Amino acid sequence: MNGPSDAAVSAGTGAEEWYRLWLRYVPVSDAGLREAYRSHAAEVVVEGSTPIAASMRDELRAGLSGLLGVEVPVSAEPGRAGAVVAGCPATSPLVAGLGWGDELAKLGPEGFIIRSARINGHPVTVIAGGGERGALYGAFRYLRHLQLQDDLSSLEIKDQPRNNLRVLNHWDNWHPTRHDMVERGYAGSTLWQWDELPDTVDPRYRDYARANASIGINGSVINNVSAHVEFIQSENLPKIAALADVFRAYGIRLYLSVRYDSPMVLGGLEKSDPLDPSVQAWWREKIAEIYGHIPDFGGFLVKGDCEGQPGPLSYGRSHAVGANMLADALRPHGGIVMWRTFVYGKELDRIGGISEDRVKQGFEVFYPLDGEFADNVVVQAKNGPLDFQVREPVNPLFGQMPNTNLGIEVQITQEYTGGNVALCWLIPQWKEIFDFDTLAKGPGSTVRKVVEGSLDGHPLSLVAGVANTGTDRNWTGHPLAQANWYGFGRLAWDSSLEPHSIADEWTRMTFSHDDKVVRGITGILLGSWRTYEQFTQPLGLNLMVERARCRLYPEPVFREPFHGATETGVGRDRTRGGTGYVDQYPPPVADRFNDLDTCPEELLLWFHHVPYTHTLKSGETLIQHMYASYRGGVRGVGVLIAAWDALQGHVDAQRHDDVRQKLQEQLKLAEHWRDTCICYFSEKSGIPEIADEQ
Ligand code: GCU
């Protein structure tokens, strides 16, 4: 049976409450509204016996029964007023009979219409998808409509995703018995229990798939980009296929990260040169074997020539040649390659003309390759040129590879933004990136349009997010980090959505409609990114974290090459007089960043090395502003705590307490940053802090 697991439907406390995420389906509290809903949602009709049809039926039945507080029956055909009919023309004769085919075709296979209609003389609600996945997304959208307590009469909702690949990247490593293997994971161990699969299929996989489908995520790369060959070893494929079976019922395709030297490591070949016929044959055979186990396998994600991962450069082949070889082998099966632009360091020595400044390197390698990638390759670029810092300028590749499918990768897991200790709701950060105008084709050339493919007319559009899930019962370590997972899915579906409306939805579904709760939590989420930035890396200050794995605490001396602090000033000079990074942007953008007066202050130290005595727009000197920022950030955490405390009695005690404890930990973290950084900068600059008045 599909549908939510027992754990996902039984009401519990604390960890069990968190386990249910935003799919809690608690009874609608207003009795009048509940009654009205019952008349509009009296039975569920889903034709067909495919896995997705079964999921839809179970989700609608369980969701409606929970929300309405009565058992909502499943029927074979609409037999009463208020039936909810879901399906797509291909699998549902009822939906096909409505004559909406042309309208649905325009919305594509993942789009849907939710509309009040009449069938067999009964007033019903129809959830019609262009394809089955569209109908499934429509079913979740309909349930959300009830969760948000919106009106059910005269429904007319049409929607379709703006990006067709909405994918989680799990950075999970292979280990047959240990599960604590998530690189940059802060929520326990890997979800995938390789020692139990394929015989035992943890019901949690299904709840993972449900949660993803409910926010439109349609792909999951289950293993780390720094890949282990075990994931494509023959004996392990049945285990992976068992996961794919669970995902399939929720419209999610499974993808794998692969090591480029697999033909050598697994196949015993002498090299992994993409132009070598024996290498190509090895991949073709391996790929056919994978499809033998997983007929709808999505394809590969590759991190090549970086941080010890092998790649095509070792053979003097470009990244395009390297990617296309895999793409050609995947094409007959309908698979794709997601090829990362995250490259830097010694692996690039084989290419001439690579700059010292690390942030320039990805662009230098990929920009010249525009137009050379096969049509089933999506080049996957991190949002910024470095590595998921709390603040980075937009990756200059956006807008400048018009002849390439160019996807974006953001980091949901909080490697540099607080791990499982700090609340840092990243949706406003991602939204700023999507809204950034690259000016590549004149005003309005936003990153959103580049990624969607609408700026340059590309069929493949990808939004990838490094996942923050793990075996912690609350899924994400910090319970409020669930909102980053939720928001990622919503923005991947529609990157024009506004953060405040995403926060509002999430809060209502996860907590309640109590005005105080909605206003309070929405405000807390929306303020948290800036607060984190304030007490860690104000003004675009680069990498400051320790070298240790947890990346939580500052180690400014060690990171001097990144943030560039000297006795007289701080920041990296990336202007035309410095490393010249600015000129990787189109001229009007480059000019803005290059000029100290027009460079946005939040990116000042990213682009400029500035004297401590420099006067900012506020009239403060740079150094006094930094000191004040560290203190202000600590006060900001205090504000978050006070706002949370004000919700005591409005949020159940256990969940209130869980978050409170986390916020207290965050306060200690912020104080540590403040003390370390003020001490470091005052010693470095010799300029004391002017006493903070507040
Ligand atoms: C960062 C991160 C690594 C990760 C890498 C990547 O450097 O710390 O854990 O492997 O990014 O994105 O490939």
Side-chain angles (χ1 to χ4, degrees), residues 81-148:
V84 178
V85 179
C88 68
T91 56
S92 166
L94 281 171
V95 173
L98 292 166
W100 299 353
D102 289 349
E103 231 181 317
L104 285 169
K106 282 197 200 108
L107 294 171
E110 297 188 306
F112 58 82
I113 299 173
I114 305 175
R115 183 176 283 163
S116 305
R118 289 191 92 80
I119 298 183
N120 297 347
H122 300 299
V124 300
T125 300
V126 178
I127 302 169
E132 271 209 302
R133 276 184 295 149
L136 178 68
Y137 298 136
F140 278 114
R141 177 70 184 77
Y142 174 73
L143 289 169
R144 186 159 78 228
H145 204 73
L146 276 84
Q147 286 175 286
L148 296 178

Side-chain angles (χ1 to χ4, degrees), residues 386-437:
L386 184 64
D387 200 6
F388 303 132
Q389 300 302 290
V390 68
R391 172 79 65 175
E392 288 193 38
V394 158
N395 192 324
L397 285 170
F398 292 111
Q400 300 202 74
M401 294 190 75
N403 303 304
T404 305
N405 296 316
L406 188 64
I408 191 169
E409 175 182 324
V410 298
Q411 197 180 44
I412 312 170
T413 193
Q414 292 169 243
E415 175 179 357
Y416 294 101
T417 48
N420 68 357
V421 171
L423 171 64
C424 184
W425 194 56
L426 289 163
I427 290 16
Q429 185 203 54
W430 303 336
K431 179 66 176 150
E432 272 193 27
I433 293 156
F434 279 119
D435 285 350
F436 182 82
D437 196 343

Side-chain angles (χ1 to χ4, degrees), residues 318-366:
S318 76
H319 278 257
V321 170
N324 293 348
M325 181 271 291
L326 291 175
D328 288 346
L330 284 158
R331 181 176 288 107
H333 306 277
I336 62 158
V337 173
M338 294 170 284
W339 190 274
R340 299 175 91 222
T341 68
F342 182 67
V343 291
Y344 71 92
K346 63 178 179 350
E347 279 91 347
L348 306 184
D349 287 349
R350 284 181 165 269
I351 314 182
I354 297 293
S355 308
E356 289 278 301
D357 184 0
R358 173 174 152 181
V359 305
K360 292 179 76 177
Q361 297 177 352
F363 185 90
E364 287 171 340
V365 173
F366 280 87

Side-chain angles (χ1 to χ4, degrees), residues 65-83:
S65 301
L67 285 159
L68 306 189
V70 290
E71 204 47 47
V72 176
V74 170
S75 309
E77 55 178 309
R80 63 182 104 183

Side-chain angles (χ1 to χ4, degrees), residues 171 183-184 225-226 303 307 340 342 382 387 415-416 551:
W171 283 1
E183 184 173 3
R184 318 301 174 198
V225 285
S226 298
K303 166 178 177 173
E307 295 183 339
R340 299 175 91 222
F342 182 67
K382 287 190 182 183
D387 200 6
E415 175 179 357
Y416 294 101
R551 307 272 207 237

Side-chain angles (χ1 to χ4, degrees), residues 25-47:
Y25 299 136
V26 291
V28 173
S29 49
D30 180 318
L33 190 61
R34 209 166 53 232
E35 213 38 59
Y37 278 177
R38 284 180 190 166
S39 65
H40 286 291
E43 64 179 5
V44 170
V45 180
V46 178
E47 294 172 294

